[in-house]
């Protein structure tokens, strides 16, 4: 019997998520994340049956194309806020009764319909449970599709290239939607769920399979308890515990048959599964006894006596009653688990923020150090050039043709003082010209000023 799952969530920076990383993980490929300067490589991931980019019909008919890397890097670049939603995911369960081709066809039909509806681009990845997941207790019939959509509408620019522009209507706030005369977002999400129900049922009906129903168990009149959502933290705890127990059993040479749940949510879901199994068993027994249930393998609706004893039915009823009594405890445990998960997520986000701050401070420190090194090198070069100029000016001889030297005795005491003064004046003028040159730096001007100060002192002394 096919089950109905059609849920949506946002890929958001506020949760430490990246559109490029999400696409890489779901498609099982390697992608470069230009915004964060990272490479996400999930090319060794198993369980990915196919991954395809689906354009709105208007763009596809223009014979344009875009790679997965370009698409999600553009989605990241289009968002400027640090808490922006960079993608939207729809997760749908694909009926195991259908063939792989039919499952892919209805997943693509659903993605194409939403892409046309919102003028967004879809990235549809179809998954199947891996053998490792099945060994852990996963249902081997759990075929499903992860469909990532851009949060912004896609258009063609003047160069016939795809660009992401305004936010899609499903991403708008309820206040904005109300101003545009639209229903609330949750109403639209319900319509999309019904759309998936319609698409899947059309294909199921072709083969006379039982149809799926988007309504809740309660609205369908079924006494079935929905399981709690495990979440990423609880799921990881369960998987780690499973792997640890399996490794321990293999080390001891024992047969490993799995372990009981270790998280509160896992234990509650185990009780819910047992309760639902017993309820279904009782319902089937009642239907058989009332001759309302026909086993598919039997060609005629013959009466089939119940295989369930009265003791088993009483035991089932007792378990059902016990489960009902612990609903309050389950709610308390659920809230506690949610608080714990939020706390762990907050701690993880704080750790990420602290690491980013450390990286930022380190980058600033390295930039300052590089700037200081660059400045030291520049100063060293300027001082080397200055020294060359200093040697040239200091060793420049005074012309013998100077008019004052012609009329005095240069060997006299006065002549020697006058010669020194003229030589110092020549150096003073040379340094002044040097300071006036456009190529002289501020540091070199300061050094030349010191030389002029010393020359002035010598002039006063003579």
């Amino acid at each position: 019997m096919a089950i109905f799952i059609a849920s949506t969530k946002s890929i958001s920076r506020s949760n430490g998520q990246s559109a490029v990383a999400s696409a890489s993980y779901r498609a099982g490929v390697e992608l470069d994340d230009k915004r964060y300067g990272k490479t996400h490589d999930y090319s060794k991931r198993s369980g990915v049956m196919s991954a395809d980019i689906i354009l709105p019909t208007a763009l596809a008919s223009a014979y344009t194309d875009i790679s997965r890397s370009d698409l999600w890097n553009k989605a990241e670049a289009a968002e400027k806020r640090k808490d922006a939603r960079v993608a939207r995911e729809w997760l749908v369960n694909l009926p195991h009764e259908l063939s792989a081709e039919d499952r892919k066809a209805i997943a693509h039909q659903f993605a194409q319909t939403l892409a046309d509806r919102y003028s967004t681009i879809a990235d549809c990845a179809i998954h199947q449970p891996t053998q490792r997941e099945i060994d852990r207790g996963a249902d081997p019939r759990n075929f499903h599709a992860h469909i990532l959509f851009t949060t912004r509408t896609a258009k063609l620019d003047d160069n016939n290239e795809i660009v992401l522009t305004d936010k899609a209507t499903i991403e708008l706030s309820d206040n904005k939607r109300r101003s545009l005369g639209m229903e609330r977002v949750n109403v639209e999400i319900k319509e999309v769920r019904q759309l998936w129900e319609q698409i899947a049922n059309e294909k199921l009906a072709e083969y006379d399979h039982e149809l799926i129903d988007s309504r809740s168990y309660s609205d369908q009149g079924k006494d079935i308890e929905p399981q709690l959502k495990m979440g990423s933290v609880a799921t990881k705890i369960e998987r780690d515990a499973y792997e640890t127990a399996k490794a321990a059993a293999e080390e001891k040479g024992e047969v490993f048959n799995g372990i009981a749940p270790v998280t509160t949510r896992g234990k509650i879901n185990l009780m819910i599964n047992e309760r639902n199994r017993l309820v279904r068993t009782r319902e089937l027994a009642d239907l058989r006894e009332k001759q309302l249930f026909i086993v598919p393998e039997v060609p005629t609706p013959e009466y089939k006596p119940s295989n369930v004893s009265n003791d088993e039915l009483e035991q089932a009823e007792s378990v059902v009653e016990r489960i009902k009594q612990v609903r309050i405890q389950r709610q308390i445990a659920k809230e506690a688990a949610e608080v714990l998960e939020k706390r762990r997520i907050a701690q993880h986000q704080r750790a990420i923020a602290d690491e980013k701050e450390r990286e930022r401070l380190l980058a600033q420190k390295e930039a300052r150090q590089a700037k200081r090194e660059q400045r030291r090198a520049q100063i060293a070069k300027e001082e080397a050039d200055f020294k060359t100029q200093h040697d040239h000016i200091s060793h420049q001889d005074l012309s013998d043709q100077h008019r004052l030297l012609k009329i005095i005795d240069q060997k006299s005491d006065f002549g020697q003082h006058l010669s020194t003064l003229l030589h110092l004046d020549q150096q003073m003028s040379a340094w002044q010209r040097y300071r006036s040159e456009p190529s002289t730096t501020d540091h070199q001007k300061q050094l030349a000023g010191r030389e002029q100060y010393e020359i002035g002192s010598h002039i006063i002394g003579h």
Side-chain angles (χ1 to χ4, degrees):
M1 173 183 174
I3 62 174
F4 178 89
I5 294 178
S7 60
T8 185
K9 68 176 182 179
S10 296
I11 306 300
S12 175
R13 288 177 185 163
S14 61
N15 294 328
Q17 297 171 309
S18 159
V20 180
S22 299
S24 172
Y25 178 77
R26 286 154 180 76
V29 296
E30 178 180 344
L31 295 178
D32 291 329
D33 196 329
K34 296 179 181 178
R35 174 180 174 83
Y36 298 100
K38 297 180 179 179
T39 297
H40 307 286
D41 187 3
Y42 293 98
S43 55
K44 296 182 180 180
R45 182 169 187 245
S46 56
V48 180
M49 301 181 70
S50 65
D52 301 278
I53 302 295
I54 299 175
L55 301 177
T57 302
L59 296 186
S61 60
Y63 300 103
T64 186
D65 196 8
I66 189 170
S67 68
R68 179 171 286 107
S69 178
D70 287 344
L71 172 63
W72 295 114
N73 274 295
K74 282 187 176 183
E76 283 286 349
E79 304 297 341
K80 307 304 179 186
R81 294 171 58 95
K82 63 180 181 180
D83 59 348
R85 296 192 301 271
V86 291
R88 174 171 293 278
E89 179 187 45
W90 276 95
L91 171 65
V92 295
N93 182 74
L94 303 175
H96 65 88
E97 297 91 341
L98 300 177
S99 65
E101 293 77 9
D102 286 336
R103 290 195 294 266
K104 183 175 181 179
I106 61 175
H108 280 205
Q109 181 183 351
F110 179 67
Q112 186 69 67
T113 302
L114 293 187
D116 291 339
R117 180 172 184 171
Y118 300 113
S119 296
T120 54
I121 300 178
D123 190 352
C124 181
I126 298 177
H127 293 184
Q128 65 179 350
T130 64
Q131 187 58 48
R132 187 177 183 182
E133 292 170 339
I134 294 173
D135 292 341
R136 289 173 177 168
D139 192 333
R141 303 167 299 176
N142 183 24
F143 299 95
H144 55 278
H146 294 270
I147 311 176
L148 284 181
F149 288 89
T150 59
T151 59
R152 293 182 176 270
T153 58
K155 296 181 181 179
L156 293 179
D157 62 8
D158 296 337
N159 297 322
N160 203 40
E161 293 184 356
I162 293 176
V163 293
L164 301 178
T165 57
D166 300 329
K167 281 290 189 181
T169 55
I170 196 172
E171 303 300 329
L172 301 178
S173 66
D174 284 337
N175 289 336
K176 181 65 175 178
R177 291 171 62 88
R178 191 180 301 111
S179 67
L180 297 175
M182 304 172 67
E183 295 281 357
R184 295 169 62 90
V185 173
N186 59 354
V187 175
E188 187 151 359
I189 289 176
K190 184 177 181 180
E191 292 177 357
V192 175
R193 285 166 51 85
Q194 292 171 347
L195 172 65
W196 170 246
E197 174 189 351
Q198 176 186 347
I199 292 174
N201 280 341
E202 287 176 355
K203 185 61 67 174
L204 289 169
E206 290 182 17
Y207 301 99
D208 293 328
H209 291 309
E210 187 172 349
L211 306 183
I212 60 176
D213 195 331
S214 62
R215 296 176 300 168
S216 65
Y217 289 136
S218 177
D219 292 340
Q220 295 178 47
K222 295 182 178 180
D223 187 19
I224 301 296
E225 287 286 337
Q227 292 188 8
L228 303 180
K229 182 176 177 60
M230 290 292 291
S232 59
V233 175
T235 300
K236 185 178 186 305
I237 293 174
E238 293 286 359
R239 288 177 177 175
D240 291 346
Y242 179 93
E243 294 297 338
T244 301
K246 183 178 180 180
E250 291 177 351
E251 185 177 351
K252 296 178 181 179
E254 300 176 350
V255 177
F256 182 68
N257 296 318
I259 60 173
V262 296
T263 62
T264 303
R265 294 190 177 197
K267 294 175 182 178
I268 292 173
N269 283 340
L270 182 63
M271 289 193 296
I272 293 174
N273 280 338
E274 178 64 14
R275 183 260 183 196
N276 291 341
R277 185 188 69 80
L278 293 170
V279 169
R280 289 192 183 97
T281 303
R282 178 60 183 266
E283 288 177 351
L284 293 179
D286 290 343
L287 289 172
R288 289 193 185 100
E289 291 170 357
K290 294 177 181 178
Q291 296 186 346
L292 296 177
F293 178 73
I294 303 174
V295 180
E297 291 78 9
V298 181
T300 56
E302 296 178 356
Y303 170 77
K304 285 208 173 279
S306 171
N307 293 325
V308 181
S309 66
N310 289 334
D311 290 342
E312 289 175 321
L313 293 176
E314 290 177 0
Q315 182 182 5
E317 189 64 34
S318 174
V319 173
V320 170
E321 184 63 27
R322 180 170 57 87
I323 294 295
K324 290 181 178 179
Q325 292 297 325
V326 299
R327 280 182 177 176
I328 296 177
Q329 298 179 5
R330 187 191 75 174
Q331 183 63 28
I332 295 174
K334 175 182 176 181
E335 293 175 355
E338 289 176 349
V339 170
L340 178 61
E341 185 172 356
K342 289 179 180 179
R343 188 179 303 160
R344 288 175 178 172
I345 290 174
Q347 291 175 348
H348 179 64
Q349 291 176 342
R350 285 196 297 271
I352 292 176
D354 292 343
E355 180 63 25
K356 288 182 177 178
E357 181 64 16
R358 283 193 294 270
E359 292 176 355
R360 186 184 68 82
L361 294 176
L362 179 60
Q364 287 183 348
K365 182 179 179 182
E366 292 175 349
R368 288 194 297 268
Q369 182 65 24
K371 190 173 181 180
R372 284 195 294 268
E373 294 295 336
Q374 183 180 5
R375 181 58 182 161
R376 290 193 191 101
Q378 180 66 24
I379 291 176
K381 181 179 181 301
E382 292 176 3
E383 291 182 349
D385 293 342
F386 178 82
K387 185 177 183 303
T388 301
Q389 185 69 24
H390 182 275
D391 294 341
H392 172 71
I393 294 175
S394 299
H395 295 90
Q396 187 176 10
D397 295 331
L398 187 65
S399 174
D400 293 336
Q401 302 300 321
H402 199 287
R403 62 183 182 83
L404 292 177
L405 296 179
K406 293 179 180 180
I407 60 177
I408 64 172
D409 181 7
Q410 297 185 30
K411 295 182 180 181
S412 65
D413 185 60
F414 175 76
Q416 290 179 1
H417 277 285
L418 180 60
S419 178
T420 301
L421 285 170
L422 292 175
H423 192 269
L424 291 172
D425 180 67
Q426 177 179 284
Q427 291 182 8
M428 180 72 79
S429 299
W431 283 121
Q432 187 60 37
R433 287 193 300 272
Y434 175 72
R435 293 185 65 182
S436 302
E437 293 177 359
S439 59
T440 304
T441 66
D442 291 340
H443 181 59
Q444 290 172 335
K445 289 178 181 179
Q446 290 178 357
L447 296 176
R450 294 176 187 173
E451 292 296 327
Q452 288 180 305
Y453 178 81
E454 292 182 4
I455 292 173
S457 299
H458 287 308
I459 291 173
I460 292 172
H462 285 279

